[in-house]
Amino acid sequence: MRVVVEVSGVRKRFGRVEALRGVSFSVLEGEIFCLVGPNGAGKTTTLRIVAGLIRPDGGAVRVFGLDPSGMGLEDRRRLSYLPEDAGVYRNLTGLEYLEFVASVYARSREEALEMVRRGVELSGLGEDLRRRAGGYSKGMKRRLALAAALMVEPELAILDEPTAGLDVAHAVAVRRTVRDYVRSSRASAIVSSHNMLEVEYICDSVALISGGRIVEEGTPSELKDKHGASNLEEVYVKLVGVEAA
Ligand code: ATP
């Protein structure tokens, strides 16, 4: 199986804060890889480094065999990144926002139209797409941003807490969307999450990060077996503790 992301010994410091202290993992083609851990553990920093938005201080990162911070436009088109605080342009309607993203990613008018068609479907926002996105609820903005991130059909989707702030029904829909997308397109995804049920449902591999280090890694069933736990929440509490969680 092809390795899509290879992170080895990555370190990152922000002033006096050592955000990452030697993080290593790899993501295979067709896999959903989840990063879980307490607030401040280093999940967002790791995802931003994989997306090429910031550079590590040490260690190496390869995405499709390339350094993500030095990728040209053609290779950048192969990945998409949903930030934790994904903003949408307040003055555009949801539909105009999808059209804007499509115009950046697509190579032809036909491809852009096809992307927007997929985005409309993925968002599930229906008639609301004709309203200004500035008036959307937090969850609606999240669904619009996720639709934009997946409609471009990335080989690698980097999704920072895709279901944060969503109600139960929409969180379920988003998990299905991510899973179906990865399964049907042989793409890969890195997903950060605080929700262990979510992790158990969508992830092929899980890495538990705490204090800038990966403290455990495996498939959900490997982790449960190893720690004699009936669900991943128990594994999490055992390794990270409830105070930190
Ligand atoms: P959360 O679950 O709360 O989103 P996280 O696991 O995503 O947390 P990060 O956002 O990666 O954690 O932060 C890791 C550490 O690095 C934290 O101590 C944070 O304060 C620090 N940090 C992250 N980005 C910056 C920055 N731009 N400047 C200063 N410190 C930062």
Side-chain angles (χ1 to χ4, degrees):
M1 193 79 79
R2 188 167 68 106
V3 174
V4 175
V5 178
E6 183 88 69
V7 171
S8 41
V10 162
R11 286 179 284 108
K12 181 70 186 177
R13 172 184 280 282
F14 296 104
R16 271 187 286 170
V17 178
E18 255 191 290
L20 302 179
R21 305 163 189 246
V23 166
S24 304
F25 61 85
S26 49
V27 181
L28 302 176
E29 184 180 45
E31 171 176 68
I32 303 182
F33 178 92
C34 285
L35 262 185
V36 298
N39 293 136
K43 300 180 295 296
T44 295
T45 305
T46 304
L47 298 192
R48 293 179 71 206
I49 287 174
V50 173
L53 299 176
I54 53 172
R55 288 171 194 267
D57 298 331
V61 185
R62 287 286 174 272
V63 176
F64 316 129
L66 304 164
D67 173 359
S69 63
M71 271 182 185
L73 191 61
E74 273 307 302
D75 288 308
R76 289 209 68 80
R77 281 200 176 104
R78 298 166 66 189
L79 62 87
S80 67
Y81 172 61
L82 174 74
E84 192 172 21
D85 51 359
V88 292
Y89 293 100
R90 301 182 64 79
N91 290 325
L92 298 184
T93 66
L95 188 61
E96 286 166 346
Y97 177 72
L98 296 178
E99 286 166 351
F100 166 72
V101 174
S103 73
V104 174
Y105 271 84
R107 291 175 197 77
S108 67
R109 173 104 188 105
E110 291 68 38
E111 197 186 0
L113 286 171
E114 183 56 26
M115 280 181 186
V116 172
R117 193 197 57 71
R118 275 197 300 271
V120 166
E121 200 180 307
L122 286 165
S123 75
L125 288 169
E127 279 304 304
D128 285 322
L129 284 170
R130 306 204 172 275
R131 284 171 48 200
R132 266 183 66 244
Y136 284 3
S137 71
K138 191 175 166 195
M140 290 164 80
K141 286 180 188 156
R142 200 84 194 124
R143 285 157 58 199
L144 182 65
L146 180 75
L150 295 184
M151 75 179 187
V152 301
E153 298 200 309
E155 284 172 56
L156 173 67
I158 303 167
L159 309 174
D160 202 349
E161 298 192 34
T163 58
L166 296 187
D167 64 46
V168 174
H170 288 117
V172 169
V174 162
R175 278 173 212 136
R176 283 199 188 131
T177 301
V178 172
R179 216 164 90 141
D180 291 350
Y181 173 70
V182 170
R183 295 287 178 262
S184 64
S185 57
R186 301 287 307 145
S188 309
I190 306 187
V191 177
S192 73
S193 178
H194 285 285
N195 183 330
M196 291 300 123
L197 284 176
E198 166 166 305
V199 170
E200 209 149 349
Y201 177 70
I202 68 170
C203 301
D204 300 301
S205 297
V206 185
L208 199 67
I209 183 168
S210 181
R213 285 197 181 89
I214 292 189
V215 294
E216 187 60 286
E217 200 185 339
T219 66
S221 46
E222 279 167 3
L223 296 187
K224 285 186 287 185
D225 286 352
K226 182 172 171 191
H227 295 279
S230 57
N231 61 57
L232 282 184
E233 195 159 68
E234 283 175 32
V235 177
Y236 184 99
V237 170
K238 195 166 169 186
L239 291 169
V240 178
V242 276
E243 301 88 339

